[in-house]
Amino acid sequence: MTTALGQPARPVLACGEVRTCLLPSFQALDGRAAAQLLRLRADEHVRVSERPNLYALSPEVLTGVDCRLPTSNGAKVRAVGTVATRVALTEGRLLQSTAYFSAPAAGPDTRRPWGHYLVRPGVVEPFGKLPEQATAEGVLRGAGRGELDLGMIAESLLTRLLRHPLLDRKVPFKSRRTHLRWTARRIPGGERAELTRFTLAENGLRTVELRLPEDTPVSAAAGLCEDLALHDWLLTTVVHMLDSSRLAAADGGAVVQALRPAVDHLLHLWMPHAQVDRSLVHLWEVLEREPGFTRQWQNLVQRIRDQLAVQAIPLLHQALSTS
């Protein structure tokens, strides 16, 4: 569908999924190695920044799709276009793959040549009218058989990178992957972006619902959700470390060994909205109020420091008594 001036119709819905995992490398990658890992296209450079943290972002690659959209009401909506996928690496340690698309309110009734879709990167056009609410709910629920599966597209690129010869496939500690699904409904340009819902589900699934002004790039929404997914992964991983360390039952050496990876590899990574578009930074305030991301993180960090301090006292006394 195009406007009267022949321009592509404005998207009314954007959807995506982020996969987050620990890079399978015993040593964190430096900026040069990160750029080498994330070079998905020969014609575009990897963006690498060192402030306020080491962050590398790949160029986008496109996946052509021609399938049904996920819907919560069972509506069969065929759509054609391209899904954009990119990969980010934070501090040479945390790897994220994101697949996302935007869709207009309506599309053509017949399939167009591929050239029509290729000049609209990251846009998926429905045949006829888009059931906006049902599609948003369907994406958050997860794709069914024969439906557009953003998680599978993101996972495919992640799997490809994890086989890169730069990686020794030796992890400094065990961790679990998480996946975050997000949708963004469009609102008039004069209104402020809103984060209307953030949920934690089983098996590492998180869902986010946004309302974004018409002039907010979809890539900015993807960046926000990558940032949320990264910090949620940090919280989830450190909580799991503390739960697994069995603080009350383990001896001092075992506790130190269990918690040391958090100190060596994770505690310095907490830096909310460092890479988020300035127009969306205020959405972090919602998560700081409920569930209180930074407050929870600070509590976890203090628990780790207290445990290490407690365990260090008898070891220090033992060292002094034998000297």
Side-chain angles (χ1 to χ4, degrees):
M1 180 179 180
T2 57
T3 65
L5 296 177
Q7 296 297 320
R10 286 183 177 272
V12 297
L13 177 68
C15 305
E17 183 160 339
V18 187
R19 299 290 173 103
T20 305
C21 70
L22 181 69
L23 189 72
S25 173
F26 193 76
Q27 298 293 334
L29 300 189
D30 60 20
R32 180 177 297 181
Q36 185 178 348
L37 175 69
L38 270 54
R39 193 180 184 195
L40 304 181
R41 295 170 51 176
D43 61 333
E44 287 194 36
H45 293 294
V46 175
R47 193 184 85 192
V48 179
S49 60
E50 297 183 354
R51 300 290 185 274
N53 56 5
L54 180 59
Y55 176 78
L57 181 66
S58 78
E60 292 180 350
V61 293
L62 300 178
T63 300
V65 296
D66 182 347
C67 57
R68 288 185 290 110
L69 293 174
T71 57
S72 60
N73 60 5
K76 296 184 188 239
V77 182
R78 181 183 172 190
V80 183
T82 59
V83 172
T85 315
R86 69 186 194 183
V87 185
L89 184 64
T90 301
E91 287 292 349
R93 180 59 72 192
L94 293 187
L95 187 65
Q96 296 179 287
S97 176
T98 305
Y100 56 95
F101 72 89
S102 61
D109 294 327
T110 59
R111 194 182 188 285
R112 302 290 179 85
W114 267 116
H116 168 84
Y117 303 106
L118 291 176
V119 297
R120 296 164 174 79
V123 175
V124 172
E125 295 183 346
F127 280 31
K129 187 176 180 181
L130 176 74
E132 187 179 340
Q133 180 67 29
T135 300
E137 293 173 352
V139 168
L140 296 178
R141 179 201 63 193
R145 185 174 182 179
E147 296 176 339
L148 177 56
D149 191 335
L150 294 175
M152 183 178 296
I153 295 174
E155 186 69 26
S156 176
L157 182 55
L158 194 64
T159 300
R160 170 184 154 192
L161 287 186
L162 294 178
R163 295 172 180 160
H164 198 285
L166 270 174
L167 307 179
D168 58 23
R169 281 165 279 282
K170 297 178 181 178
V171 293
F173 57 91
K174 292 182 180 180
S175 63
R176 301 171 182 173
R177 295 187 189 184
T178 59
H179 47 292
L180 181 148
R181 295 178 187 144
W182 59 270
T183 61
R185 309 282 292 274
R186 291 299 188 173
I187 56 178
E191 297 187 23
R192 203 178 191 204
E194 299 177 22
L195 193 158
T196 57
R197 182 174 297 178
F198 175 81
T199 62
L200 304 178
E202 296 179 353
N203 302 319
L205 172 65
R206 286 80 174 97
T207 61
V208 172
E209 296 179 56
L210 303 168
R211 286 166 48 86
L212 299 180
E214 294 175 340
D215 56 354
T216 302
V218 180
S219 60
L224 169 70
C225 292
E226 287 163 351
D227 196 57
L228 298 181
L230 183 146
H231 289 85
D232 172 76
W233 185 93
L234 286 171
L235 279 172
T236 302
T237 302
V238 172
V239 166
H240 180 70
M241 282 183 176
L242 284 165
D243 290 344
S244 301
S245 63
R246 297 165 53 193
L247 299 180
D251 60 41
V255 169
V256 171
Q257 186 176 4
L259 297 181
R260 181 171 178 175
V263 177
D264 291 345
H265 304 289
L266 300 181
L267 297 192
H268 65 289
L269 298 183
W270 191 263
M271 202 170 294
H273 58 74
Q275 304 297 335
V276 174
D277 188 278
R278 283 184 294 179
S279 66
L280 301 179
V281 167
H282 69 278
L283 297 181
W284 257 98
E285 298 173 5
V286 178
L287 296 173
E288 297 297 21
R289 291 194 300 267
E290 180 67 36
F293 265 40
T294 296
R295 186 169 64 250
Q296 184 181 2
W297 177 258
Q298 291 171 344
N299 180 59
L300 293 172
V301 171
Q302 191 58 52
R303 284 183 63 194
I304 290 172
R305 289 174 175 166
D306 289 346
Q307 283 297 323
L308 293 178
V310 168
Q311 302 303 333
I313 292 173
L315 295 177
L316 178 60
H317 286 168
Q318 181 179 0
L320 291 174
S321 65
T322 57
S323 61

